[in-house]
Amino acid sequence: MSAEGSEIYEVIRRRRDVRAEFTGEVVDDATLLRILDAAHRAPSVGNSQPWDFVVVRKPETLRQFAAHVAGKRREFRDSLPPERARTFEPIKIEGITESGTGIVVTHDDGRGGQHILGRASVPETGLYSTILAIQNLWLAATAEGVGVGWVSFYDTAYLTDLIALPPGVRPVAWLCTGPVHEFQQVPDLERFGWRDRRALADAVHWENYRQ
C-alpha cells in the first residue's frame, strides 16, 4: 500500500463526532474553504450536486440554535426509561457555540432538473449524494485537525426559518466545525456506555444476507 493510501485509512480511523473537544478558536477561512472544496468534490447522481453549504458564525444565531437544541435534548431525555436517561445524561450532544462555526448542509431535490441520470429507479440517490458530500467534508476536516459534530436534535422547520432557506431546499445537517484539543480515541457513545460498535464480522454477508 502506498503512503497516500495508508493516510486515508488513518484519517478514517481518527474521525470522531466531536462535542466537547473544541478549543473555542474559529477555523480560519482558508482551511474552511479547503474543507468545503473537498465536500463539493463529492460524487453525485447525474452530476446534480444537490447540496449547498450555509456557514453560520454570528454569535446570536449560534446561541439561538443552541437554546433550541437544548430544549430538544430535554424532550428526548424525558422520553427515556429511567436507566437509559441516566446513561444519556452525561453525554454532550452538541458544540454549537463552542465550535464558533456551524455549517448547515442543505439538499435541493430539484437540482439538476426533472430528468436526472441515475435517479429514475432510486430517487433517494439524490439525498445519498448530499450525504457523500458530508462524509467528504468530515474526512477533510479530520485531516486538517478540525473537529466536526453532527447535530440532529432540532425541528427542521425551525432551522429552515433560522437560516432563511427557500422553498424546496431542506437542511440535512448542522455540523459544528472548529479546531480541537484532541480527537477521542474511543467514540463518545461507546465511552459513555450508550452502545458498543458492532464487529465487522457481524456486518459482512457473503452472497446473500442469511449466509
Side-chain angles (χ1 to χ4, degrees):
M1 182 186 297
S2 66
E4 292 82 359
S6 62
E7 287 174 4
I8 187 62
Y9 282 98
E10 176 61 17
V11 169
I12 291 170
R13 186 193 68 78
R14 289 193 296 117
R15 187 212 62 83
R16 290 289 177 269
D17 197 354
V18 175
R19 308 296 180 182
E21 292 77 26
F22 292 110
T23 65
E25 300 176 7
V26 175
V27 60
D28 64 272
D29 287 351
T31 302
L32 178 63
L33 288 172
R34 282 197 302 272
I35 292 169
L36 292 176
D37 180 67
H40 194 54
R41 291 177 184 272
S44 62
V45 63
N47 202 26
S48 56
Q49 304 168 76
W51 53 71
D52 283 280
F53 311 103
V54 181
V55 179
V56 181
R57 283 177 167 166
K58 288 184 177 179
E60 180 56 29
T61 306
L62 296 176
R63 286 193 294 268
Q64 286 181 34
F65 189 61
H68 172 74
V69 169
K72 290 298 171 183
R73 184 191 191 280
R74 287 191 296 271
E75 289 179 13
F76 178 71
R77 180 200 61 201
D78 293 345
S79 73
L80 294 171
E83 181 179 348
R84 292 301 271 169
R86 286 192 293 271
T87 301
F88 174 71
E89 188 57 37
I91 299 175
K92 185 173 174 61
I93 64 161
E94 49 84 11
I96 296 165
T97 58
E98 297 91 334
S99 65
T101 300
I103 302 173
V104 184
V105 183
T106 68
H107 178 73
D108 182 352
D109 218 34
R111 181 78 50 76
Q114 183 178 359
H115 306 290
I116 297 178
L117 192 156
R119 208 180 74 177
S121 298
V122 187
E124 296 88 352
T125 52
L127 182 58
Y128 299 162
S129 301
T130 297
I131 300 302
L132 286 172
I134 293 173
Q135 180 74 334
N136 270 22
L137 184 157
W138 214 322
L139 294 178
T142 302
E144 294 274 3
V146 172
V148 175
W150 188 326
V151 180
S152 55
F153 281 72
Y154 62 83
D155 284 331
T156 298
Y158 178 88
L159 183 51
T160 296
D161 290 342
L162 184 67
I163 59 172
L165 294 181
V169 176
R170 61 182 173 119
V172 174
W174 178 297
L175 304 175
C176 305
T177 308
V180 293
H181 295 292
E182 62 176 342
F183 291 110
Q184 291 288 346
Q185 292 296 310
V186 179
D188 283 359
L189 297 189
E190 291 183 59
R191 289 194 301 123
F192 287 100
W194 182 261
R195 180 164 288 115
D196 291 333
R197 182 179 296 274
R198 294 171 66 203
L200 175 61
D202 293 336
V204 176
H205 309 266
W206 300 95
E207 305 302 341
N208 63 65
Y209 193 92
R210 291 184 179 180
Q211 292 297 328

